[in-house]
Amino acid sequence: MSRIAYVNGRYVPHREARVHVEDRGYQFADGVYEVIAVQQGHLLDEKGHLDRLDHSLKSLRIPWPMSRRALQSVTREVIRRNRVRNGFVYMQITRGVARRDHAFPKNAKCAVVMTARHLKQYDAKAAKTVGVDVITIPDIRWERRDIKSVSLLPNILGKQQAVEAGAYEAWQIDDDGCVTEGTATNAWIVNSKRELITRDASHAILNGITRLAVLEVARKNGVTFVERPFTVEEAKAAREAFLTSSTNHVKAVTRIDGTSIGNGDIGELTTNLIDMYAERMERAGEPEA
Ligand code: PDD
């Protein structure tokens, strides 16, 4: 079945989907995006993603291209036309098409693109058996990482460095020697006191929707957690580590820069959190509280 993309009001075959050469997303990375997981035909944490989209748009003073409700129906239509039951929706909103000039254009209409892709359903059992390696790299990004901007050059360079090192992800390190986040994921550790630690939400990281979901299940299940920066040394000395995102969900990290985490196996708390998260995911179709 051929894929369908939504481009500025039209549903078009994916291979014919085009934006103008003077789209400001293309010329300046002047735009924002969201990736929302689809689980058994349902959007995972749609509200959280749309609230974060609102935050990103407001931060960059890009107006909503349509009402929230209209965007929700386009999202459903893109999922339906692509027959995605498990996978994700990608949406991108840029400041629009205008003659190249750094200042905001006066009358540009923001541009919207949406695609959907099939992915294998999250396999909690596999997630509890296989961990991944991460490397650490300096965080060379700007100071507003809370905005989900399409400007991802440092992230893609970091991810490529990880791939070339035979690792899955790169954790970025700030000037104080603390982990900010991965190139497309949030970072977590469990220390020797069995405390779950992830960096606090600030301008330093993207406040992941999966991050919030894991905090929610931790809270509900009485797991103690601390939101604070942690150093690379703490991470390497941790009992457990894992990463989260809308496409990875919860994935154990078993090595950082070649150092085994804990005894090199996936830890007990990570295993429990994978189960709690998977159970929450199962309820994706139920109305949000
Ligand atoms: N990435 N940090 C960064 C820098 C990210 O790009 C992402 C998501 C996350 C996790 O956020 P969430 O849990 O809301 O997916 C953290 C998406 C999936 C991407 O760029 O493909």
Side-chain angles (χ1 to χ4, degrees):
M1 197 199 74
S2 59
R3 291 176 66 198
I4 301 292
Y6 173 88
V7 185
N8 296 323
R10 294 171 55 220
Y11 295 93
V12 293
H14 190 268
R15 62 178 182 283
E16 288 164 26
R18 305 266 185 280
V19 291
H20 196 275
V21 287
E22 288 207 298
D23 186 287
R24 289 177 64 94
Y26 179 57
Q27 288 184 332
F28 294 121
D30 187 4
V32 301
Y33 75 106
E34 277 298 327
V35 174
I36 313 181
V38 179
Q39 150 81 9
Q40 300 289 351
H42 298 288
L43 288 154
L44 217 57
D45 294 309
E46 182 182 21
K47 182 181 181 307
H49 283 280
L50 294 184
D51 288 349
R52 188 173 64 188
L53 179 64
D54 184 57
H55 169 74
S56 298
L57 288 169
K58 286 209 171 103
S59 303
L60 300 184
R61 292 161 58 199
I62 297 176
W64 270 77
M66 59 183 89
S67 70
R68 187 166 165 133
R69 198 173 276 265
L71 194 75
Q72 287 177 289
S73 38
V74 172
T75 310
R76 278 160 185 70
E77 190 57 17
V78 169
I79 294 171
R80 192 186 69 76
R81 290 193 188 220
N82 288 283
R83 296 193 202 158
V84 171
R85 267 196 73 67
N86 293 291
F88 64 89
V89 178
Y90 174 83
M91 56 182 81
Q92 175 176 312
I93 300 169
T94 71
R95 206 180 302 275
V97 175
R99 196 177 63 188
R100 188 176 182 278
D101 187 356
H102 288 62
F104 296 174
K106 287 227 159 53
N107 300 312
K109 207 169 151 288
C110 41
V112 189
V113 167
M114 211 183 288
T115 54
R117 224 177 85 189
H118 173 82
L119 274 188
K120 264 202 349 230
Q121 197 180 347
Y122 181 56
D123 182 348
K125 206 164 148 207
K128 289 187 283 181
T129 349
V130 190
V132 296
D133 281 24
V134 307
I135 58 165
T136 61
I137 57 169
D139 197 329
I140 58 168
R141 299 174 300 162
W142 72 331
E143 293 180 7
R144 287 304 307 275
R145 304 166 194 140
D146 56 307
I147 300 171
K148 202 159 173 61
S149 149
V150 292
S151 171
L152 290 172
L153 207 40
N155 307 58
I156 61 158
L157 291 175
K159 179 75 179 194
Q160 183 60 22
Q161 202 177 324
V163 169
E164 287 174 10
Y168 183 74
E169 176 60 302
W171 281 5
Q172 302 169 97
I173 313 301
D174 67 14
D175 292 344
D176 299 324
C178 292
V179 176
T180 52
E181 61 186 333
T183 63
T185 55
N186 287 114
W188 303 71
I189 58 167
V190 179
N191 68 7
S192 55
K193 293 185 219 144
R194 294 179 196 274
E195 271 175 340
L196 176 62
I197 307 169
T198 194
R199 187 147 181 155
D200 49 303
S202 67
H203 288 178
I205 62 160
L206 185 78
N207 191 1
I209 304 302
T210 323
R211 172 189 180 279
L212 292 170
V214 170
L215 290 177
E216 180 194 302
V217 295
R219 197 175 291 117
K220 276 193 182 148
N221 289 279
V223 175
T224 9
F225 62 82
V226 196
E227 292 175 84
R228 64 156 173 89
F230 57 89
T231 63
V232 190
E233 290 72 35
E234 270 185 286
K236 290 184 185 168
R239 296 175 75 98
E240 305 180 29
F242 62 93
L243 52 82
T244 56
S245 82
S246 297
T247 45
N248 288 283
H249 304 290
V250 181
K251 225 178 206 127
V253 170
T254 40
R255 277 204 302 186
I256 301 174
D257 288 336
T259 304
S260 289
I261 301 308
N263 62 6
D265 293 333
I266 299 176
E268 192 185 327
L269 187 52
T270 305
T271 305
N272 290 341
L273 286 167
I274 289 172
D275 283 332
M276 293 170 198
Y277 176 82
E279 196 265 326
R280 180 185 184 278
M281 213 177 172
E282 290 295 309
R283 292 186 272 109
E286 296 171 15
E288 287 180 33

